[in-house]
């Protein structure tokens, strides 16, 4: 019994179909990978939010007093927040340090899967010890030491908890370290994740104040 092989025309047609399908699918692969990284990053960020919520419950509904990013990143002058002198030193601590008793999972819970520069940045501390940075996320320091209803977002902008950002991806800009280095940080993924005060993770949307 003879086996029937592919004819040359059938083979060329099959190759053409595969080529067309490959051309259609290949451009979507980066988008799929980006979406997967963003979802994984959002899940990690929600875990951070759970730790922040536990902290708030234990501290009279006040948000952690912490710098926006840990060393070696250049910190914002805490005097800008108008706090008493005895509270300014609390801004030396990072959100990671404040969350030590509220989050399990070690350093990985602070890493966004798309982050290639920030979480693992290397630096030398004041004692000459080689160190590695530890978080992919930026904390809104202006919330520190305040209840949500006392925040600038609520009192001045009239936002509600679903609109108030607490933590977000540290990406898409040039940032300075305390030793004067300028580090170009690429976006972790195509759309920045933000953790909001009500605990959900999503995109920022400007508040609707009724203006047309």
């Amino acid at each position: 019994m003879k086996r029937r092989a592919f004819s040359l025309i059938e083979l060329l047609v099959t190759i053409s179909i595969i080529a067309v399908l490959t051309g259609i699918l290949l451009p979507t692969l980066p988008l799929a990978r980006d979406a997967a990284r963003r979802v994984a990053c959002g899940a990690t960020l929600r875990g951070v939010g759970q730790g922040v919520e536990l902290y708030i419950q234990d501290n009279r509904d006040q948000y952690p007093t912490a710098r926006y990013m840990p060393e070696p990143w250049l910190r914002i002058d805490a005097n800008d927040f108008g706090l008493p002198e005895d509270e300014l030193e609390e801004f030396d601590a990072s959100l990671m340090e404040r969350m030590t008793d509220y989050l399990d999972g070690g350093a990985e819970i602070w890493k966004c899967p798309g982050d290639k520069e920030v979480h693992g940045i290397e630096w030398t501390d004041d004692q000459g010890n080689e160190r590695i940075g530890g978080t992919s996320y930026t904390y809104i320091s202006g919330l520190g030491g305040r209840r949500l209803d006392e925040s600038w977002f609520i009192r001045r902008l009239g936002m509600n908890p679903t609109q108030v950002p607490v933590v977000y991806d540290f990406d898409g800009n040039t940032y300075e370290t305390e030793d004067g280095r300028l580090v170009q940080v690429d976006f972790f993924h195509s759309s920045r994740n933000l953790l909001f005060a009500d605990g959900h993770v999503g995109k920022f949307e400007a508040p609707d104040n009724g203006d047309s």
Side-chain angles (χ1 to χ4, degrees):
M1 189 172 179
K2 294 184 178 180
R3 293 183 178 179
R4 183 177 179 276
F6 282 111
S7 68
L8 180 59
I9 293 178
E10 289 173 329
L11 185 59
L12 291 175
V13 169
T14 301
I15 293 174
S16 299
I17 292 173
I18 293 174
V20 170
L21 292 176
T22 301
I24 293 173
L25 294 176
L26 277 180
T28 67
L29 291 179
L31 297 177
R33 285 196 295 266
D34 179 83
R37 285 196 299 264
R38 185 168 182 269
V39 169
C41 193
T44 302
L45 200 52
R46 274 189 290 272
V48 172
Q50 291 171 355
V52 172
E53 183 60 32
L54 291 173
Y55 179 97
I56 291 172
Q57 292 175 8
D58 285 349
N59 291 272
R60 299 175 297 175
D61 294 330
Q62 294 179 347
Y63 279 84
T65 301
R67 56 190 294 168
Y68 84 107
M69 283 289 284
E71 297 177 279
W73 303 104
L74 188 67
R75 70 174 184 174
I76 297 172
D77 189 351
N79 286 285
D80 292 341
F81 298 113
L83 295 176
E85 287 294 329
D86 60 347
E87 293 184 22
L88 292 181
E89 62 183 25
E90 295 187 20
F91 277 88
D92 287 334
S94 68
L95 185 63
M96 289 175 56
E97 294 171 300
R98 295 294 181 216
M99 293 294 101
T100 300
D101 296 332
Y102 298 93
L103 288 174
D104 295 324
E108 289 305 306
I109 199 169
W110 295 96
K111 183 178 181 180
C112 174
D115 175 12
K116 296 180 176 62
E117 300 102 345
V118 182
H119 183 271
I121 188 171
E122 298 179 357
W123 53 288
T124 304
D125 65 20
D126 294 337
Q127 287 72 45
N129 300 313
E130 296 297 324
R131 302 281 297 277
I132 297 178
T135 177
S136 301
Y137 305 111
T138 300
Y139 176 54
I140 305 296
S141 296
L143 293 170
R146 295 180 171 88
R147 299 193 311 271
L148 183 61
D149 59 5
E150 298 173 333
S151 72
W152 180 77
F153 296 101
I154 300 293
R155 299 183 65 179
R156 296 292 182 87
L157 298 183
M159 293 182 175
N160 61 58
T162 65
Q163 299 168 314
V164 177
V166 178
V167 184
Y168 62 90
D169 297 338
F170 186 72
D171 61 1
N173 210 330
T174 300
Y175 298 94
E176 186 175 357
T177 62
E178 291 184 334
D179 58 6
R181 284 180 290 162
L182 294 178
V183 181
Q184 174 63 47
V185 179
D186 294 330
F187 282 100
F188 299 165
H189 31 68
S190 60
S191 181
R192 175 174 284 166
N193 281 326
L194 294 95
L195 170 71
F196 293 89
D198 69 337
H200 87 279
V201 173
K203 302 177 184 179
F204 177 77
E205 295 182 4
D208 182 2
N209 296 321
D211 297 332
S212 57

